[in-house]
Amino acid sequence: MLFKDCLCFQLASLSRSMARHYRERIAPFGLTHAQFFMLIALYEEEGASLSVLADKTHLDRPTVTGMIDRLERDGWVVRRADPNDRRSFRVFLTPKAQEHREALLHIYCEVNGMLLERFGVDEWERFRTLLDRLRDAADPQPAEGP
């Protein structure tokens, strides 16, 4: 097998190239690439639990917890106890995050749109299906009980 056929390398290379477009635009906000996407997830689903955010972002729970810790420290989010489950927290945006909402969503839409315009609708749907298949193969979920 040729190196150019290494799927992991090709996807990582592509990811770095795409991330650069975001990093250049989010640098003035003091956000990392991962923090930026966590805020985008929260703009879409404010008040989500850490578990929901982990599922939504395809990150493990400890990684999400650490990221939320840093976003909270930097004044972007606040955690509040879940009124329905004392063991859980929900994550809410602060006034700082709301103040920058339009600018951050503009960056997200601009860069994502620039990348998505390379696909037709059917191509994008097919590509998403293929990405999901690869994600499932790379990180299989344990089988449910009988």
Side-chain angles (χ1 to χ4, degrees):
M1 179 180 289
L2 299 174
F3 184 68
K4 69 177 183 146
D5 293 328
C6 177
L7 184 59
C8 185
F9 174 78
Q10 293 295 336
L11 289 173
S13 175
L14 175 60
S15 180
R16 284 190 304 274
S17 294
M18 291 187 307
R20 187 175 54 250
H21 291 286
Y22 285 106
R23 273 195 311 273
E24 293 166 355
R25 289 167 174 86
I26 64 174
F29 297 94
L31 294 167
T32 67
H33 185 240
Q35 289 170 333
F36 168 75
F37 281 107
M38 185 60 67
L39 285 174
I40 297 301
L42 282 162
Y43 286 137
E44 189 173 283
E45 194 169 351
E46 184 173 9
S49 68
L50 296 175
S51 296
V52 166
L53 290 171
D55 289 343
K56 189 176 192 81
T57 59
H58 300 283
L59 297 170
D60 61 36
R61 178 92 186 261
T63 300
V64 169
T65 299
M67 192 178 310
I68 295 300
D69 286 346
R70 288 183 293 284
L71 285 168
E72 190 169 35
R73 177 199 67 206
D74 295 340
W76 290 97
V77 301
V78 63
R79 269 183 275 224
R80 294 188 192 131
D82 185 331
N84 301 319
D85 182 355
R86 294 183 329 179
R87 300 165 296 158
S88 250
F89 290 93
R90 296 196 171 268
V91 182
F92 293 88
L93 300 162
T94 63
K96 176 181 178 177
Q98 296 295 358
E99 174 188 338
H100 296 295
R101 178 187 197 114
E102 188 175 322
L104 292 175
L105 287 173
H106 176 76
I107 292 167
Y108 174 74
C109 290
E110 177 185 35
V111 175
N112 196 52
M114 174 190 71
L115 298 169
L116 284 178
E117 72 184 12
R118 309 273 194 245
F119 296 101
V121 174
D122 292 341
E123 288 175 315
W124 173 237
E125 288 300 319
R126 179 72 177 141
F127 188 56
R128 276 186 32 198
T129 299
L130 296 171
L131 289 173
D132 288 343
R133 189 184 314 165
L134 286 171
R135 187 177 297 110
D136 290 346
D139 190 24
Q141 298 297 315
E144 302 254 344

